[in-house]
Amino acid sequence: MRRLLLPILMLLFLSDVYAQQIVFTPQWLPQSQFAGYYVALEKGFYKEAGLDVVIEHTSSSDNAQNRLREGKCNAITMNVFDAIFNIDQGMEVVNVLQTALHTGLVIVPRNNDIKKLKDLSGKRVGIWRTHYYELSQIVNEDYDLNIEWIPFVQSVNLYISGAVDATMAMIYNEAYHIYASGFENVSFISLADYGYDFPEEGVYFTKEYYEKYPDKAKAFAEASRRGWEWTHEHPDEALDIVMKVIEKNNLPAGRQHQKWMLNEILRLQCDSISEKPTFELDENKVMQINELLIRYNRINDVVTKSRITGGRQ
């Protein structure tokens, strides 16, 4: 009996360790976009919640959504538009925390004659290889633009070299690099101004993990929320923590850019009326995204907020 009991106890122990450990993959390299999670780890919020959290970053060749599908992590960050599309395609995920309430997505023209979306008709526009493909196609069809999309991985070299007429960019990232490259008089076409102000990042667990360890998933969400709340209250100290993570990963990211990014990220997390973060998914925004995706035959059925959040209201 003792010989049988020991292996059983070991399996129970390992199962408990697995339940506590959460491998979390933000959707890009270390940067201020994910400050709240670094803060939660550094300040011990995850540990206080009884969690062993490992943050493993993605790369251009191993994106967060693929890592989740392949079982390399338990949770990732993902924008709501992609979440709805992926859930319809069979990727079972659950949103446990919504951080960004607004989009920072802009189009940056090289020519000052391009001021509105309709001015992009027939133009060459840079776009990420792994992000915002469906949304960009819908914008293209919505305005009958006939854009020629030119894919890039992460840099703004296509824009700087003049290989494109404009480029998709995040206001807190690529737009900053364009400024820093000497394009100080550029203007932005904000997609939010054209009705595409959809929520960006939230935290998504696999449905399997969420249903097997609901308390752990919720504890992770609460600790992450504490991390972001602390970041809102102590942005300078949070930036110090971000820079430590960046330096640990030997990345060439300057503090000034990371400060710009953090300020923009915190702004995008705030409700327009209260000017405070709510950390909740807006049901009206979810339905707007569904209407677009259904109108352009990108999804088969409506993906409700309840389905996205696992029933959380």
Side-chain angles (χ1 to χ4, degrees):
M1 270 306 279
R2 290 181 180 176
R3 290 179 179 176
L4 289 173
L5 186 59
L6 184 58
I8 291 172
L9 290 174
M10 285 298 295
L11 285 173
L12 290 173
F13 173 76
L14 292 173
S15 176
D16 185 59
V17 169
Y18 175 72
Q20 291 185 36
Q21 186 177 76
I22 294 174
V23 179
F24 172 60
T25 298
Q27 65 204 68
W28 195 238
L29 302 174
Q31 55 187 21
S32 289
Q33 184 178 0
F34 314 116
Y37 311 112
Y38 306 147
V39 166
L41 192 63
E42 174 80 10
K43 304 299 288 186
F45 299 157
Y46 292 132
K47 188 175 181 179
E48 289 175 16
L51 303 173
D52 176 14
V53 173
V54 177
I55 299 178
E56 293 183 354
H57 289 89
T58 184
S59 68
S60 57
S61 60
D62 188 23
N63 69 55
Q65 293 176 32
N66 285 340
R67 283 178 56 82
L68 196 68
R69 290 189 187 96
E70 295 166 4
K72 295 179 180 178
C73 60
N74 310 113
I76 64 172
T77 59
M78 180 165 51
N79 69 64
V80 182
F81 197 98
D82 283 350
I84 291 173
F85 178 80
N86 286 327
I87 289 171
D88 180 77
Q89 298 299 307
M91 183 179 179
E92 297 291 342
V93 292
V94 175
N95 175 303
V96 298
L97 180 72
Q98 184 61 38
T99 52
L101 303 184
H102 304 283
T103 184
L105 192 60
V106 297
I107 298 175
V108 188
R110 286 190 96 258
N111 190 324
N112 288 332
D113 291 338
I114 301 175
K115 299 181 184 298
K116 301 177 181 179
L117 272 182
K118 66 178 183 180
D119 298 332
L120 291 167
S121 180
K123 304 298 185 183
R124 293 163 58 87
V125 181
I127 187 172
W128 301 274
R129 288 185 182 275
T130 56
H131 298 293
Y132 297 103
Y133 175 79
E134 293 298 333
L135 178 57
S136 66
Q137 295 303 307
I138 285 175
V139 172
N140 200 9
E141 293 180 46
D142 241 358
Y143 284 83
D144 193 25
L145 297 175
N146 194 30
I147 287 173
E148 180 183 357
W149 297 105
I150 309 299
F152 63 83
V153 177
Q154 68 180 95
S155 79
V156 293
N157 289 343
L158 287 175
Y159 181 94
I160 293 171
S161 68
V164 293
D165 301 299
T167 188
M168 299 281 275
M170 300 309 297
I171 191 67
Y172 51 78
N173 201 358
E174 291 83 8
Y176 177 88
H177 288 301
I178 289 171
Y179 267 130
S181 298
F183 294 83
E184 298 178 356
N185 297 318
V186 295
S187 59
F188 301 136
I189 299 173
S190 172
L191 291 193
D193 293 340
Y194 288 83
Y196 305 107
D197 187 18
F198 302 134
E200 290 286 340
E201 286 90 29
V203 175
Y204 291 81
F205 275 81
T206 62
K207 187 176 181 180
E208 179 184 8
Y209 189 98
Y210 180 80
E211 291 182 345
K212 192 171 184 179
Y213 308 112
D215 293 340
K216 300 297 180 184
K218 292 172 185 176
F220 180 86
E222 183 56 35
S224 297
R225 176 172 178 156
R226 284 184 66 193
W228 279 114
E229 289 172 340
W230 193 94
T231 299
H232 276 269
E233 294 170 2
H234 309 89
D236 291 336
E237 294 93 329
L239 183 58
D240 291 338
I241 292 172
V242 170
M243 295 310 299
K244 283 174 61 177
V245 176
I246 289 173
E247 289 163 10
K248 183 178 179 180
N249 285 269
N250 299 312
L251 293 174
R255 187 181 181 90
Q256 189 59 37
H257 176 206
Q258 294 306 310
K259 183 175 182 178
W260 165 296
M261 182 182 293
L262 184 58
N263 288 339
E264 289 297 318
I265 289 295
L266 296 181
R267 179 182 65 82
L268 294 172
Q269 289 185 354
C270 290
D271 177 75
S272 301
I273 298 174
S274 68
E275 297 184 348
K276 295 180 179 180
T278 66
F279 300 104
E280 290 295 334
L281 189 55
D282 187 323
E283 189 165 12
N284 291 329
K285 294 291 186 181
V286 170
M287 292 312 299
Q288 288 176 25
I289 296 171
N290 272 283
E291 289 168 7
L292 267 182
L293 288 169
I294 288 174
R295 186 194 313 163
Y296 289 104
N297 299 311
R298 295 306 198 279
I299 61 175
N300 298 308
D301 298 301
V302 170
V303 179
T304 64
K305 175 186 174 181
S306 179
R307 184 176 175 187
I308 297 170
T309 61
R312 188 185 86 250
Q313 296 300 316

